Amino acid sequence: MRAEVRLAAWLSTSTVLALGTAPNFVGLLGQSLSDTFGSIFPAIPFAALLTLIFALRWGDLRDLLTEEEGVKSMLGTRALGGAVVFALLALAPLTDQSVVSAGLAIILTFYATSLVVNPSTKTFLLPYAAVYAAGVGAPFALQWVFGEPLAILSADLSAGLVRLVGFPVAWQGTQFQLLSKTGDVINGVVTPGCSSIISVTTFLGLLALMHIDLRKDIRSTATLAVAGVGILTLLNSVRILLLMWVGYVEGSSAFWGVHNWIGYALFLGFYLAALPVYSKMGGHSQVVYPKTSGIP
């Protein structure tokens, strides 16, 4: 029972401190979800992945967090964790300015508090914390650097698919206009936010988590990563094509109604298909990951 109390104390303390480092996170996330054309920040998918990994690896994490090593063990690591939490709380007015900074603060808070509770979790949780941090921060950086070129590529691919299907759409760079059968004129633009960066980074994050858990050889992981990036780029253009087709047939109301969920449906289907494919690819890595003394 003592171990369960310690575990519950870590979860509750981490949650309270995380809310303290990013008190406006939910509001910021709500604002980002109001963006159109799929430019939805992947905080929700990564939050779901975090929950999934905690569920799948809960036994190992529970054993680590409830190990009895004495409060004086690894004092340097404990002090580092405490210093990180203190710094995040002090910097809350800055870290709470965007979804990116708030998300990073929450991830670091959970990791740092685990170091305070039991420093032996540092090796087990570090890869997961790194993947989540990259998943939250990378899309912002990648969109800033590659967003415009990828938007142009997505528009060109979508225009090619539209020509194959054969309904009238006027293109001007990344902007388009179509006249629906209902008489509605629909104008839109393929922005960097809908250039497949979100779907690609979410997939690569999921793949990294599977690589950690399944311990596949790096060649299998790299092969699926390259293939997945290409497929998702094309799939994103299919998404745009479907949006235009719905708008052409049913009008602007249907167009704007469908675009909020069709991306999740298509990309989630791809992620679910990639899971069994990856599980059957290649062999396992021969790397032996460090284990703490309490894990058999």
Side-chain angles (χ1 to χ4, degrees), residues 20-21 37 54 76 85 88 104 107 113-114 128 150 166 168 180 197 206 233-234 241 251 253:
T21 61
F37 257 95
F54 266 22
V85 172
L88 290 169
L104 291 174
I107 294 167
T113 53
S114 74
Y128 297 104
L150 285 176
S180 73
I197 289 178
L206 176 60
T233 301
L234 180 59
L241 168 68
S253 296

Side-chain angles (χ1 to χ4, degrees), residues 155-165 171:
D156 290 343
L157 289 174
S158 300
L161 293 175
V162 167
R163 286 193 294 269
L164 287 175
V165 175
W171 287 90

Side-chain angles (χ1 to χ4, degrees), residues 155 169-177 187-191 244:
V169 177
W171 287 90
Q172 181 66 42
T174 57
Q175 301 180 29
F176 64 87
Q177 182 182 84
N187 294 288
V189 58
V190 180
T191 67
M244 293 179 175

Side-chain angles (χ1 to χ4, degrees), residues 51 87 219 250:
T51 303
R219 288 176 297 178
E250 300 293 339

Side-chain angles (χ1 to χ4, degrees), residues 12-27:
S12 59
T13 301
S14 298
T15 301
V16 170
L17 291 173
L19 293 175
T21 61
N24 197 35
F25 178 71
V26 175

Side-chain angles (χ1 to χ4, degrees), residues 56-127:
L56 293 177
R57 302 303 302 274
W58 182 249
D60 292 340
L61 180 59
R62 176 187 178 279
D63 290 343
L64 282 170
L65 287 169
T66 56
E67 277 183 340
E68 294 288 350
E69 293 193 0
V71 296
K72 295 183 178 181
S73 63
M74 302 177 70
L75 289 178
T77 302
R78 293 180 192 269
L80 176 62
V84 170
V85 172
F86 179 80
L88 290 169
L89 289 171
L91 294 173
L94 297 177
T95 60
D96 202 36
Q97 296 300 308
S98 69
V99 177
V100 176
S101 58
L104 291 174
I106 290 174
I107 294 167
L108 288 175
T109 299
F110 272 88
Y111 181 64
T113 53
S114 74
L115 299 183
V116 176
V117 172
N118 192 328
S120 63
T121 59
K122 66 179 181 180
T123 300
F124 177 85
L125 286 181
L126 180 59

Side-chain angles (χ1 to χ4, degrees), residues 248-274:
Y248 175 65
V249 174
E250 300 293 339
S252 60
S253 296
F255 176 90
W256 295 111
V258 168
H259 92 276
N260 286 326
W261 58 264
I262 192 172
Y264 276 117
L266 289 174
F267 300 140
L268 179 60
F270 173 80
Y271 301 153
L272 293 177

